Structure formats: C-alpha cells, structure tokens
Amino acid sequence: MGNAQGLRKLVSLMITSCCGVTDVSLEAIGKVCINLKQMCLRRCCFVSGDGLVAFAKSAGFLECLQLEECNRVTQAGIIGVFSNCGLKSLTLVKCMGVKDISLGAPLSSPCNSLKSLSIRNCPGFGTGSLALVSKLCPQLQHIDLSGLCGITDAGLLPLLQNCEAGLLKLNLSGWLSLTDEIVLALTRLHGATLELLNLDGCRRITDASLVAVADNCVFLSDLDVSRCAITDAGVAALSHAEQLNLQVLSFSGCPGITNKSLTFLKKLGKTLVGLNLQQCNSISTQTVELLMESLWRCDILF
Ligand SMILES: *[C@@H]1O[C@H](CO)[C@@H](O)[C@H](O)[C@H]1NC(C)=O
Ligand SMILES: *[C@@H]1O[C@H](CO)[C@@H](O)[C@H](O)[C@H]1NC(C)=O
C-alpha cells in the first residue's frame, strides 16, 4: 500500500467483478481507508458473510453499503453488518447466497442509524430474515423489497409495525401474494408519513386498497398500482380523497379501468405531473385525447 495517504482520504469506493478481493483484503481496505463512507461491491465472488462483518467493523465511518451479486454473502453476514451501527443505508441486489434461517439466538442491540433498506431480487431472503430486520432496524424510512415475492402479508406486517420513525417510501413491486389487508394496515400505520408507494404487479390488490389510501394518506405524491386488480371504482375513490395531492400516478396494465374513469382522472389530474395509462386496454384513444386536452400540464403515457 504505497499510496496510503490517498487511501486514507477515500470516501467512496466501488469494486466490480473483482474475484481477487478476498475477506482478508476487504478487511485491510476497511482499516486503511479510514474515511470510507460508501462502499459498493459488485460480483465479488470470494467475499463471505464473515468477511463482510469484519470489514464493517474495521470501516468505522461506513454509512452506505451496497452488495450486488455477491453470492457467498450469507444471512448471518447481513445481520452482522448491522452491529456496525453507523450504517445508514444497505442495499442487496441478487445475492443468491442469502438463505432464510430463523435464528433463535439473542439479538444484538438495534441499529438505529439505518434509514434505508433495499433488498431486490434476493429470493432466499424470506419471512425469517425480514422478522430479524424488523427487530434490528426500527428507524427505517425507505424500504425497497421489490421482487421478494415469496413473502406474504403476515411476513411483512411485523416490519410495518416496528418502523417507529414513520415510513416515507415503500416499494413492494412484484409481490404476487400481497393482499388489500396489508395495504389497509400500511395506510393505518404510516398514512401520515408515506410519500411513495409502489405496488406494481401485486395482482391481488383491488379497489379496497385505493379506498384505504384515499382515506388515510396525507402526503402521498407517487403511487404505482400498475398490473393490480383496479377498476373504475378505485379510481373514483382516489379522486374523491380530500387531502391527497398525487403528482405521479401509474395505472398501466389495468384492464378494469374504462372510459368511465374519464371524469375521475380529470379530477385527479389537477395535481398530477405524470399519469401512466399504458396497456389500459379498456380505455379508448378518444378518451385519452379528451384527457390530454384538459390536462395539458400533465405528462400522459398511453
Ligand atoms: C421499485 O422497484 C422496481 C423493481 O425493482 C423498480 O423498477 C422501480 O424503479 C422501483 N421504484 C421506486 C419508486 O423505487
Ligand atoms: C370508450 O369510448 C369510445 C368512444 O368515446 C368507444 O368507441 C369505446 O367503445 C369505449 N370503450 C369501452 C371499452 O367502453
């Protein structure tokens, strides 16, 4: 390490496709780069869970950790990282080595610094892992769990209940098993803070969820219910909400929305800057043209 001075100043580091990086070298990086705040490891096939924990301990100022396709990283490794409690943001993408184990072991103290958690397309991350995370990270505000389709309503509920700070952003796109029950719980628990909700592809979500959103969400500005089981009644409920100020709304791939929604969409459109009606096959081009005429400020995709 000839250029140790430079390494000490390093704040952000990204290591891609580097199978030369081992647990030992990773820990060394943590020790030398004492100011490291952001670390991204992509396709680091030799980094294990233990290596990750050792790194997180040695990198004392680490705030943001992102792991993509690091397939030797385990659930224990992820949980161990939370003991490095300066971490504010953790992202896991396609880490296939994470397997769902319900640990009976006593938990470490909570990681109150973690605000943002993103776990995308890690099929092994299941109900047990989510239960652990919900106990360990009570201050989460941004959660992206898109593509974790193996988890049910019951698996998600503890996480929603344990978020003490109030959720701001939640992305559950692709959760096929999700039902209106959990959206009802979500809006009851976090309707006063929620700004973004993505339920794209949650096919069992119906108008009942939109009624709950309309009744409980005060600050929601971005809503995506594409490919859900939404009909005109749901659009009507949203348009009747008193306090909603939606800016971006996506209904793409909702064949239950028809020409009858024109007046409701016009009403919703007063605050919208973006409206996605792609693949809404029951709405005619003529209806969309009428909508475009009255909503000239809003960008409409059809
Ligand atoms: C939600 O997740 C999907 C799938 O990973 C992604 O394409 C989308 O950009 C995310 N949306 C938001 C608002 O984070
Ligand atoms: C929608 O309205 C147009 C005329 O505005 C009509 O031609 C079309 O058949 C209607 N589509 C449906 C699905 O009702």
Side-chain angles (χ1 to χ4, degrees):
M1 301 251 175
N3 197 5
Q5 199 63 35
L7 289 174
R8 257 178 233 130
K9 287 186 187 148
L10 209 62
V11 174
S12 177
L13 186 59
M14 177 161 172
I15 301 176
T16 298
S17 298
C18 194
C19 280
V21 172
T22 62
D23 288 350
V24 176
S25 49
L26 193 63
E27 193 179 356
I29 290 171
K31 283 187 177 143
V32 175
C33 306
I34 52 172
N35 286 306
L36 200 61
K37 287 201 167 106
Q38 295 183 326
M39 176 66 143
C40 175
L41 297 172
R42 190 174 289 161
R43 295 193 206 103
C44 290
C45 48
F46 287 130
V47 172
S48 74
D50 290 344
L52 196 65
V53 175
F55 165 71
K57 281 202 178 112
S58 65
F61 290 102
L62 195 68
E63 291 180 356
C64 176
L65 179 63
Q66 182 162 351
L67 304 170
E68 291 185 27
E69 297 176 62
C70 295
N71 290 335
R72 284 194 59 205
V73 166
T74 57
Q75 185 207 45
I78 305 305
I79 300 301
V81 163
F82 293 135
S83 62
N84 162 48
C85 209
L87 210 61
K88 291 181 179 163
S89 160
L90 177 69
T91 302
L92 300 181
V93 184
K94 293 190 200 158
C95 291
M96 300 300 172
V98 179
K99 296 275 178 295
D100 207 36
I101 306 159
S102 301
L103 296 177
L107 293 166
S108 53
S109 54
C111 178
N112 287 313
S113 59
L114 202 78
K115 298 278 182 205
S116 172
L117 179 70
S118 180
I119 298 173
R120 298 196 296 266
N121 302 313
C122 299
F125 192 98
T127 306
S129 309
L130 204 58
L132 277 174
V133 166
S134 67
K135 282 185 198 144
L136 279 170
C137 311
Q139 300 298 326
L140 287 173
Q141 296 196 299
H142 296 185
I143 302 180
D144 181 346
L145 300 174
S146 49
L148 292 190
C149 47
I151 303 180
T152 61
D153 285 6
L156 182 61
L157 190 59
L159 184 69
L160 300 182
Q161 285 169 332
N162 289 339
C163 283
E164 294 168 3
L167 276 178
L168 302 179
K169 295 184 181 176
L170 182 61
N171 191 343
L172 299 173
S173 80
W175 279 44
L176 303 177
S177 65
L178 215 65
T179 74
D180 293 321
E181 288 298 314
I182 200 74
V183 179
L184 264 56
L186 168 70
T187 59
R188 186 167 38 77
L189 291 163
H190 298 285
T193 52
L194 202 63
E195 295 169 2
L196 179 148
L197 178 61
N198 189 326
L199 299 172
D200 181 358
C202 302
R203 287 188 300 229
R204 298 175 67 187
I205 295 298
T206 74
D207 296 333
S209 286
L210 294 191
V211 172
V213 164
D215 287 345
N216 296 293
C217 292
V218 187
F219 294 112
L220 195 69
S221 69
D222 190 330
L223 176 65
D224 191 334
V225 284
S226 299
R227 286 164 280 277
C228 293
I230 303 298
T231 73
D232 295 321
V235 184
L238 264 193
S239 76
H240 293 139
E242 295 289 329
Q243 74 279 45
L244 262 188
N245 275 303
L246 284 171
Q247 300 202 309
V248 180
L249 182 58
S250 182
F251 287 128
S252 88
C254 293
I257 301 177
T258 72
N259 291 347
K260 286 182 196 140
S261 278
L262 178 62
T263 49
F264 312 131
L265 289 170
K266 270 188 186 166
K267 193 156 179 247
L268 279 166
K270 286 188 185 131
T271 59
L272 290 179
V273 293
L275 174 64
N276 188 344
L277 296 173
Q278 283 173 314
Q279 290 140 14
C280 288
N281 299 332
S282 310
I283 305 180
S284 68
T285 314
Q286 212 175 347
T287 299
V288 175
E289 277 164 7
L290 287 172
L291 201 58
M292 281 175 172
E293 272 170 37
S294 77
L295 302 181
W296 51 271
R297 280 192 321 137
C298 175
D299 189 12
I300 301 175
L301 293 177
F302 184 63

